[in-house]
Amino acid sequence: MSHLVAPSVLSADFGNLQRDIEMINSSAADWFHVDIMDGVFVPNISFGFPVLKALKQHAKKPLDVHLMIVDPDRYAQAFKDAGADVLTVHLEACTHLHRSIQNIKNLGMKAGVAINPHTSVNMLQDIIEDIDLVCVMSVNPGYGGQKFIEHTYKKISALKEMIIQSHSKALIEIDGGVDLNNYAKLVHTGADVLVAGNTVFSSKDPKQTIIELKKEGL
Ligand code: DX5
Ligand code: ZN
């Protein structure tokens, strides 16, 4: 499978959201990455259900919803109703991660687990066979446009090995600081999904930038 690209809506122009959604619809992008922040799990608040529902109305590609919130179980049904196709919860926010994952899958969504930069991929050993996606945070979550953390490559390699050994089908998603200089090495190391906010939306030609991010590189 060639890698997927998921532009992060967090970096879109919210005054022209429909225009930016149409841009992604007609681009080479695969998914919409949607960041939900509660101001508690992360030091920022993004947007909630009304915006997600508006997105769903216009988006013609799957919604990859990344929850940076405490107590995500409480809202899983509401995110399903709002149109999430993939629902990712943070390992650090879930006391009963296995239960949270089963709940997401029972609701008919793909289930993802995100890990912060300080969290070892080893923490996923006993859940890797149950999940559809691992979101490896390559910045500290909360904001777009931050600098990529180089240690991420080691985490991707270790995770790839774990996935192969366990015969898991989980995709490896990289979130934060992905750009045209590092994307090819990330894919080469084992990334399956690249999230890109600032790189896409602050470029002069976002559609062309998405095409670049889709290239094999290296
Ligand atoms: C950060 C978010 C990311 C963010 C990525 O907390 O989870 O999805 O939008 O933005 P860039 O690509 O600009 O680092
Ligand atoms: Zn994200």
Side-chain angles (χ1 to χ4, degrees):
M1 181 194 93
S2 63
H3 68 278
L4 309 180
V5 170
S8 176
V9 175
L10 187 66
S11 295
D13 175 355
F14 288 98
N16 291 287
L17 189 53
Q18 191 176 352
R19 180 200 66 191
D20 284 357
I21 295 168
E22 296 301 346
M23 182 279 290
I24 296 175
N25 280 340
S26 62
S27 77
D30 299 278
W31 293 351
F32 286 77
H33 184 81
V34 186
D35 290 307
I36 307 290
M37 305 178 183
D38 67 354
V40 180
F41 182 72
V42 286
N44 194 12
I45 297 175
S46 56
F47 48 79
F49 296 113
V51 174
L52 187 58
K53 284 179 184 163
L55 246 164
K56 187 67 180 179
Q57 255 180 25
H58 299 286
K60 296 198 173 83
K61 296 174 183 186
L63 299 191
D64 170 36
V65 178
H66 175 194
L67 300 185
M68 284 160 276
I69 65 173
V70 296
D71 200 6
D73 297 355
R74 201 171 145 196
Y75 299 103
Q77 177 74 60
F79 280 107
K80 169 68 182 172
D81 296 343
D85 296 287
V86 182
L87 194 65
T88 296
V89 295
H90 263 266
L91 180 146
E92 301 87 358
C94 295
T95 309
H96 300 285
L97 183 60
H98 188 273
R99 179 182 290 149
S100 304
I101 294 303
Q102 298 311 319
N103 184 33
I104 292 169
K105 295 207 292 197
N106 288 339
L107 288 168
M109 295 176 282
K110 299 276 186 201
V113 175
I115 54 170
N116 280 334
H118 75 274
T119 300
S120 168
V121 297
N122 295 330
M123 299 292 286
L124 297 165
Q125 184 73 63
D126 292 312
I127 195 82
I128 196 73
E129 290 164 54
D130 298 297
I131 59 183
D132 300 297
L133 176 139
V134 178
C135 176
V136 179
M137 290 308 302
S138 38
V139 297
N140 284 294
Y143 304 94
Q146 301 183 81
K147 192 176 177 301
F148 178 83
I149 297 170
E150 294 290 321
H151 179 68
T152 306
Y153 294 112
K154 286 188 185 153
K155 294 177 79 167
I156 299 172
S157 300
L159 189 54
K160 190 81 192 169
E161 186 61 26
M162 182 190 293
I163 287 171
I164 291 169
Q165 292 301 330
S166 62
H167 305 290
S168 163
K169 292 195 170 59
L171 299 176
I172 301 176
E173 176 176 72
I174 307 304
D175 189 7
V178 173
D179 61 26
L180 293 173
N181 296 315
N182 61 21
Y183 87 95
K185 185 173 172 188
L186 288 166
V187 172
H188 187 72
T189 311
D192 301 297
V193 187
L194 300 176
V195 174
N198 189 53
T199 294
V200 167
F201 286 100
S202 67
S203 81
K204 282 210 182 70
D205 187 345
K207 273 192 183 179
Q208 184 55 36
T209 301
I210 294 169
I211 289 173
E212 299 293 326
L213 289 168
K214 286 286 292 180
K215 286 184 179 164
E216 283 308 317
L218 288 186

